[in-house]
Amino acid sequence: YQRLAQSTGTSPEHLISFRLHDAGQATAVETAYHQAGLEADGPALTWDMFVLVNSINDGITVLLLVLMAVVILLICFLCIRYTLLTTLEEDLQEIGVMKALGVADRHIRAIYLGKYRVLLGAGALLGLVIALAARGPLLANTRRQLGEISHPVLGIVIALAGTAVLYALSMAYVRRVLNRLGRIAPLQALQGVSGLVPARRRPRAVLAPSTGSRINLKLAFASIRRDPGRHLTILTVAFLVTLVLLVPFRIAGTAASEKFITYMGIGAVDLRIDLLNRPDAVTVADQINGVLRGDERVRALQTYRLETEEVSAHGRAPQPIRVDYGDPQTFPLRYATGQAPRTTTEIGLSELNAEGLGVSVGDRLSVQGPSRPVEFTVSGIYQDITNGGKTAKAMPGPTMDATAPAVTIAVGTADPAGVIASINRAHPDINVIDTRAYLAQLLGGLIETLTIIAWVFSVVAVLIATLIAGVSIRLMLVTERRATAVLGAVGFTTGQLRAQYLVRIMSMMATGVLLAVALAGPLGNVVSTVVFGPVGLTGINLEFSPLTTGLGSLLVLASGFAVTVLHTGRGFNTDLAPRLRG
């Protein structure tokens, strides 16, 4: 170690840790430490901040999975409803016979309940086994960052409880749908009329003035008007499926964008040079600025003086806060509320500092300068993950110490490697941080995970759209078998009947997809707040991706179109007599 230190010119650093009886007194201890004039070259980090930083990847991933899983669960309930109604329609004759023989509704219901208990129970157990088997690799990173849990059995108990709750909810929904058995009259069931999905509107004449292809369109839209509930369900499912497909991709794209760091208390800089705890920091900074100002590759350059100031508000005891003095407009941040400072008597605070001082935008606070305290107005509040989340931004003014030994230089350039080489030639001992590489290390795992989640949900969304379209068409074909037989008997071809179903299904799916595309932005922003909020990132506006939006929408529509064509390809003009009899 001594040889390495001598050859590289490094000096040892020391980390000082405190174990408090009351974690809520962390700020008071930090203030007392600073007032005592003890060594404080680096940021003060609390345990909550360590947990927060280490849980960014896993926390965001888990929250996104939970939110999308809730949406998929709602869609799956609709699948159960359609599947069960289709089964009852197909078994209508048998149900009519049992009712005619005097079998009570509860006994008929018990037959279907027993079947779905087995199916749902087997599915729940299979999902639980897969989840328990997959938790090892899925939680490996969490264990590395936060350590092993003290009660591993508790996780299994919670998983069992969650599975039991989902199973109970599914069975309760099945019972609710099976209550419709009471609507079936024996005589009507034997005649092929179930009453399970009653038409809400009485039919009316729609074909009198129509000829040619307009007949198919009028019949299709008449079916939608006559039974809006079933068609609105298709619209709702298309809307939810498209959201499940688009929102994760937008979240992943936003996390990968260059603007994402502006939500984290870091300006959109390309290079960062930290000159900390050096007696010659100001001199070296001036020399580096002299080199960079004449470089055509540098598009923006700003020097920040980092000072720890005593700040108080509302008569409370002063707190030590790091203030970054410089022009905040050169590399602007995203402010959750308010705006960046524009005068020498305005200050922007990180959320943790604003919370600790008990101030909001427009409040006044006192900053101790070299000779006297100066009143500042809080101009804005922003999120920050640097320096333990406790920073402030201000214009150079009366409280700044021109000889402060901590300086940071921010550089904007399209050629980071070339500018780094120029700096290293002038000052070989200076460490220049490439922000892109830093962010790749900080967020690379998160971006990769979010992208994988987005692709997984896109596949699940397409499969669900296909399934819902399939069961919807199947239910329509079963409940409308007599109507399609009448149309076939009067001369409608299979192609014409298929066209009617395509108009009905695709018009609803297209409307749902368009609504999802229009609302993916505002609803996605709400989801992003829920997902990123627990790690201190709020007010994020998701990036719009035309390519992802277009391809995702076409994929949902194509799946519905393919399933509709597949299910309506044959059988319309066969067995007309039995279908007419019901």
Side-chain angles (χ1 to χ4, degrees), residues 22 69 205 345 405 484 491:
D22 182 4
T345 57
T484 55

Side-chain angles (χ1 to χ4, degrees), residues 48-49 51-61 63 260 263-264 351-352 383-385 443 446 528-538 540:
D48 290 339
M49 180 56 63
V51 174
L52 177 64
V53 172
N54 288 327
S55 64
I56 285 180
N57 288 3
D58 296 324
I60 291 174
T61 300
L63 287 172
F260 188 67
Y263 296 101
M264 306 168 68
E351 287 190 341
L352 286 181
Q383 300 93 17
D384 199 355
I385 64 169
L443 300 175
L446 173 63
S528 70
T529 300
V530 175
V531 171
F532 293 111
V535 296
L537 304 178
T538 58
I540 295 177

Side-chain angles (χ1 to χ4, degrees), residues 443-461:
L443 300 175
L446 173 63
I447 295 171
E448 181 181 356
T449 302
L450 291 177
T451 303
I452 293 174
I453 291 174
W455 279 107
V456 170
F457 276 119
S458 66
V459 173
V460 172

Side-chain angles (χ1 to χ4, degrees), residues 206-219:
V206 295
L207 301 181
S210 304
T211 59
S213 60
R214 293 181 60 190
I215 294 178
N216 290 321
L217 289 176
K218 286 211 166 187
L219 284 173

